[in-house]
Amino acid sequence: MGRLLVIGCGGVAGVAIHKCCQNSKTFSELCIASRTKEKCDALKQKLEGTTKTRITTAQVDADKVEELIALIKSYQPDAVLNVALPYQDLTIMDACLACKVDYIDTANYEPEDTEDPKWRAIYEKRCKEAGFTAYFDYSWQWAYQDRFKEAGITALLGSGFDPGVTSVFTAYAQKHYFDEISYIDILDCNGGDHGYPFATNFNPEINLREVSAKGSYWENGRWVETEPMEIKREYDFPQVGKKDMYLLHHEEIESLAKNVPGVKRIRFFMTFGQSYLTHMKCLENVGMLSTSPVLHDGKEIVPIQFLKTLLPDPATLGPRTVGKTNIGCIFTGKKDGKEKTIFIYNVCDHQECYKEVGSQAISYTTGVPAMIGAALIVNKVWDKAGVFNVEEFDPDPFMEMLNAYGLPWVVEENPATVD
Ligand code: NDP
């Protein structure tokens, strides 16, 4: 019996909240709080009568620590699930710390304004020292380790699919299949089609920033950076078929490099169709992906935010998207002195997700593990004081809940590998 405060009410939150309501034994009470309260009220109305979970709603600007503290103090949750944007990670962590409440999120911190000189100075130092130029990294949140430990509370970072399930797959492979893992390839394939010439499957600003950035991978103890989309491979995904995929920088590489002893290489690939890439390049070339304000007719606008206004809301793609996703990890390493390779993956069908919770599979595959992470924290199955990534806990209860809550997984021995 627990009480959860969910912050954010977009695509991922919608699924996470549906799933919490399916698990009302754990989440007897839930408060949905976001910037736009009408969205929270609409979701509450949709779910009431279908669940035993008691739902309330609230308005909050999660950029403001004081507002968050006031909300947490008045609602008294057992944990806070952050499914707003990565921009709000630090303010929400600050509020959890002030109120001594556990914290869960699905994406690591990145700043909204990448031109902010204070942030930029730290970022540029990190680029030089660490060797990768992505705007997001874990250093900001890992810096809370001592404070969370002293307060006796948990921060669970990255409890989505990737990061999240891919990290749990890694912990599971390490626990049950290998003495040592040498190579990890994380493959994220979306074989879905929404019928629009161009749309993103989750928040456009976050998605386009990630995809248009330089790629990078971890090899022999250091980062190797590539040009955007420089490394391309083809893979024949079970239940989806052959797709082109491209190497990207991705946040779980950073934590897995730290948490998988002896790992030699970690790469992340995501599939994209040619039309998506051509549209993105064109938008980038004309400056529409810029996060820096420009003057338009005497008014300041941020190009990528204006683009977000023009693009379809990812939360509305559900009814139109057909096809499947296949996301998982290929591990190569040694067990009892013998080399072996396994592929652990989940296949998710966009239309099945829509039938169940009214969302496409990208929000679904993120929202389900967000609920699972929150449930394991609220039930104290995962219980350590400090700041942790999901692979630092026992993977077994998480893997069981994936099967029970709509994301069944497969372990394939001797799969095709990526060169
Ligand atoms: P959406 O844009 O659909 O939703 C974001 C929500 O956060 C909206 O409800 C928005 O409010 C709210 N919000 C934004 N700013 C504030 C604020 N200052 N105060 C309060 N609420 C705010 O995003 P998604 O649902 O697609 O993504 C949610 C998170 O999930 C992101 O962090 C994303 O990076 C992460 N993600 C993680 C994945 C993984 O596998 N690990 C995969 C996909 C996404 P409003 O309605 O007013 O705009």
Side-chain angles (χ1 to χ4, degrees):
M1 298 294 265
R3 184 188 279 228
L4 185 70
L5 171 62
V6 181
I7 300 186
C9 193
V12 173
V15 177
I17 291 162
H18 263 93
K19 287 288 168 179
C20 287
C21 290
Q22 288 177 10
N23 185 5
S24 49
K25 265 196 189 149
T26 296
F27 302 107
S28 48
E29 291 181 46
L30 191 117
C31 175
I32 315 171
S34 191
R35 184 167 54 188
T36 313
K37 186 167 175 287
E38 294 72 42
K39 287 192 193 169
C40 311
D41 292 333
L43 186 57
K44 172 182 151 128
Q45 209 176 12
K46 197 169 149 197
L47 286 163
E48 263 174 354
T50 69
T51 175
K52 288 189 178 139
T53 303
R54 202 175 147 261
I55 304 172
T56 49
T57 62
Q59 200 279 331
V60 73
D61 180 351
D63 291 322
K64 303 205 170 94
V65 181
E66 292 312 315
E67 276 192 29
L68 288 163
I69 291 178
L71 176 61
I72 295 173
K73 282 194 172 153
S74 76
Y75 189 64
Q76 299 279 317
D78 297 301
V80 174
L81 173 61
N82 168 16
V83 270
L85 296 178
Y87 310 148
Q88 283 84 46
D89 286 5
L90 303 185
T91 46
I92 301 177
M93 285 179 83
D94 283 335
C96 285
L97 202 48
C99 302
K100 294 199 172 20
V101 176
D102 295 333
Y103 167 91
I104 302 108
D105 71 25
T106 66
N108 70 7
Y109 171 70
E110 69 181 273
E112 186 157 14
D113 177 10
T114 54
E115 300 302 320
D116 172 15
K118 211 171 129 206
W119 175 83
R120 193 103 209 156
I122 299 171
Y123 163 76
E124 276 164 13
K125 184 166 173 278
R126 188 216 79 204
C127 290
K128 268 198 212 123
E129 285 170 6
F132 67 98
T133 55
Y135 288 144
F136 49 89
D137 74 287
Y138 275 119
S139 65
W140 299 89
Q141 291 178 277
W142 284 343
Y144 284 70
Q145 168 65 14
D146 291 346
R147 282 173 285 163
F148 267 66
K149 200 172 172 189
E150 272 160 34
I153 53 171
T154 311
L156 180 66
L157 307 184
S159 191
F161 205 103
D162 42 341
V165 177
T166 51
S167 325
V168 174
F169 284 171
T170 306
Y172 189 77
Q174 180 97 64
K175 182 173 175 184
H176 297 286
Y177 287 87
F178 292 95
D179 297 324
E180 191 170 291
I181 296 176
S182 303
Y183 301 99
I184 306 174
D185 277 330
I186 303 161
L187 310 188
D188 180 332
C189 164
N190 180 7
D193 181 7
H194 45 58
Y196 285 117
F198 186 75
T200 62
N201 292 302
F202 68 97
N203 184 282
E205 204 175 322
I206 305 295
N207 185 223
L208 289 166
R209 266 194 193 192
E210 172 179 287
V211 173
S212 58
K214 287 191 175 189
S216 69
Y217 58 99
W218 180 258
E219 192 170 46
N220 299 325
R222 63 182 190 94
W223 289 96
V224 181
E225 194 153 75
T226 70
E227 288 307 309
M229 307 292 162
E230 186 186 327
I231 298 184
K232 175 184 174 186
R233 298 284 187 270
E234 188 190 68
Y235 195 79
D236 194 356
F237 288 90
Q239 295 191 48
V240 176
K242 279 187 187 163
K243 293 276 171 197
D244 287 338
M245 57 184 194
Y246 298 82
L247 185 141
L248 298 184
H249 174 83
H250 223 248
E251 65 202 60
E252 66 265 53
I253 302 178
E254 196 187 351
S255 71
L256 292 175
K258 189 175 126 206
N259 293 323
V260 181
V263 69
K264 292 193 177 100
R265 190 184 66 202
I266 312 173
R267 301 183 297 185
F268 180 95
F269 292 91
M270 191 178 270
T271 61
F272 296 103
Q274 195 48 51
S275 166
Y276 180 96
L277 295 177
T278 309
H279 275 84
M280 191 181 73
K281 195 76 215 158
C282 173
L283 291 165
E284 188 180 15
N285 285 344
V286 298
M288 283 297 281
L289 302 191
S290 170
T291 52
S292 306
V294 293
L295 267 184
H296 174 72
D297 264 354
K299 197 172 174 286
E300 262 198 356
I301 59 163
V302 176
I304 200 163
Q305 283 174 6
F306 176 61
L307 176 64
K308 184 180 178 214
T309 307
L310 297 178
L311 289 176
D313 178 352
T316 64
L317 297 178
R320 326 171 36 107
T321 309
V322 291
K324 291 177 181 173
T325 61
N326 178 325
I327 319 176
C329 309
I330 301 175
F331 303 100
T332 300
K334 281 200 175 143
K335 178 77 178 171
D336 301 327
K338 276 198 208 135
E339 181 143 310
K340 67 185 287 184
T341 301
I342 63 167
F343 185 17
I344 311 185
Y345 62 84
N346 159 263
V347 173
C348 196
D349 184 298
H350 285 284
Q351 280 299 301
E352 294 294 320
C353 298
Y354 186 68
K355 267 188 238 147
E356 188 195 325
V357 297
S359 300
Q360 32 82 354
I362 304 301
S363 302
Y364 190 92
T365 52
T366 311
V368 171
M371 178 283 285
I372 295 175
L376 294 175
I377 295 291
V378 165
N379 289 331
K380 304 258 175 234
V381 177
W382 282 2
D383 188 15
K384 289 195 273 196
V387 176
F388 300 98
N389 293 85
V390 287
E391 69 270 18
E392 294 178 82
F393 289 93
D394 178 8
D396 293 355
F398 199 111
M399 294 292 273
E400 273 167 33
M401 286 185 78
L402 285 172
N403 282 333
Y405 283 96
L407 293 177
W409 41 273
V410 176
V411 180
E412 189 184 313
E413 307 257 354
N414 300 317
T417 53
V418 182
D419 62 4

